[in-house]
Amino acid sequence: MSLTQVSSNKCAGGFQKVFEHDSTELKCKMKFAVFLPPKAETDKCPVLYWLSGLTCTEQNFITKAGSQLAAAEQGIILVAPDTSPRGCNIEGEDESWDFGTGAGFYVDATEEPWKTNYRMYSYVTDELPKVINANFPAEPGRMSICGHSMGGHGALVCALRNPGKYKAVSAFAPICNPVQCPWGQKAFSGYLGSDRSTWEAYDATVLAGSYAGPELDILIDQGRDDQFLSASQLLPDNLIAVCSEKKIAVVFRLQPGYDHSYFFIYSFINDHIKHHAKYLNA
């Protein structure tokens, strides 16, 4: 697979790079960011995938989260893809900030006109890891996943639907129960259709209720002053209740004073990278 390097910057002793490639799943050009720690110059390294939230590109995480120092220290490659296909010339793709461009919701769409391009679930879980493993010093079989908001939803879904694939999972302010919130209902009805039973395959709370895989250690940070928490978009209590019932290990930290922004992510990203390193470097 041919990759085009878009940018490369020395960072934290390693390199922060952005690449573009022709995606077979999404039928368009896609960008993704890769941080290569100093260790990657001589050894294979585990990979932590970061999934961003609504309206974001691959740039938000690499410029705002301050993740590179901790990743360099732990010897972890960070991969941050874009959040949706772009430039597909689909009618209506740019009309809403919470649907279409920048809002792929990490599902494989089944409805027209979205189903040809909007296959972010398969892109993140299958195509992108193959691209990373083929082109970078990634240690096979050692990867984990993390995300924010819509990306937190995506990270939880990817881990719960693929038992054993990811060594650990964590999330910042994830959309925990999208079938029950306005964001999820809008996105799922558009991408997946009116049959709500099909939505459950992309709902972390529902998936946790039937999870039967190996032990999964989940870390979730949530800002107490997050405007979307009070607007009932995130619904973490629903997920926590199911995890407690199913005895799925989850550490949920409600952080006083923090909102939904990257200032919040910046404040706790080191904890999350250490959480992943515990399993990736074991």
Side-chain angles (χ1 to χ4, degrees):
M1 177 163 297
S2 175
L3 299 183
T4 301
Q5 184 169 288
V6 176
S7 64
S8 178
N9 298 92
K10 187 77 173 177
C11 181
F15 285 91
Q16 180 62 66
K17 297 174 179 282
V18 175
F19 291 88
E20 186 176 68
H21 73 115
D22 291 312
S23 168
T24 54
E25 282 289 353
L26 308 179
K27 307 292 191 294
C28 69
K29 288 188 180 297
M30 284 294 286
K31 289 179 181 176
F32 61 86
V34 178
F35 173 70
L36 299 170
K39 184 182 177 184
E41 294 183 14
T42 55
D43 297 298
K44 289 186 179 295
C45 300
V47 182
L48 171 56
Y49 288 85
W50 170 271
L51 305 184
S52 291
L54 288 164
T55 76
C56 291
T57 69
E58 79 289 338
Q59 289 292 316
N60 299 72
F61 180 67
I62 66 174
T63 58
K64 296 180 178 180
S67 59
Q68 292 93 341
L69 282 170
E73 183 180 335
Q74 300 291 343
I76 294 173
I77 294 171
L78 299 176
V79 177
D82 201 349
T83 52
S84 77
R86 292 183 189 268
C88 298
N89 298 314
I90 299 172
E91 185 177 354
E93 67 183 351
D94 295 322
E95 289 180 2
S96 302
W97 67 275
D98 55 357
F99 184 81
T101 301
F105 266 85
Y106 305 102
V107 304
D108 284 349
T110 56
E111 296 296 296
E112 296 286 3
W114 310 100
K115 66 180 184 180
T116 298
N117 303 99
Y118 277 67
R119 296 180 52 79
M120 286 299 294
Y121 173 77
S122 287
Y123 178 73
V124 165
T125 59
D126 184 38
E127 182 179 3
L128 186 58
K130 287 178 180 175
V131 171
I132 298 301
N133 291 340
N135 291 279
F136 301 96
E139 192 174 350
R142 303 199 73 79
M143 63 180 183
S144 63
I145 195 162
C146 180
H148 170 232
S149 194
M150 176 185 74
H153 139 75
L156 292 168
V157 166
C158 289
L160 290 166
R161 283 187 59 166
N162 296 277
K165 186 180 183 80
Y166 302 95
K167 298 297 183 184
V169 60
S170 71
F172 291 83
I175 304 171
C176 293
N177 196 185
V179 301
Q180 298 292 343
C181 79
W183 276 342
Q185 291 163 357
K186 178 178 179 176
F188 288 2
S189 61
Y191 295 135
L192 304 173
S194 58
D195 181 357
R196 290 189 171 223
S197 67
T198 65
W199 301 5
E200 296 181 351
Y202 299 103
D203 186 297
T205 299
V206 175
L207 292 168
S210 59
Y211 183 76
E215 186 175 332
L216 190 62
D217 191 348
I218 303 171
L219 170 63
I220 297 174
D221 270 311
Q222 172 64 61
R224 184 176 287 170
D225 290 5
D226 186 327
Q227 67 271 35
F228 300 117
L229 179 64
S230 58
S232 298
Q233 292 282 21
L234 305 178
L235 304 175
D237 291 348
N238 295 1
L239 175 62
I240 301 309
V242 172
C243 286
S244 177
E245 181 183 327
K246 295 289 291 185
K247 295 181 170 53
I248 296 172
V250 56
V251 173
F252 178 74
R253 308 191 305 186
L254 193 61
Q255 304 288 6
Y258 287 92
D259 58 18
H260 200 72
S261 72
Y262 264 84
F263 295 110
F264 164 55
I265 297 168
Y266 179 92
S267 301
F268 300 103
I269 190 65
N270 286 5
D271 290 351
H272 284 246
I273 289 176
K274 288 177 183 176
H275 167 78
H276 289 277
K278 182 169 60 175
Y279 297 94
L280 290 172
N281 293 328

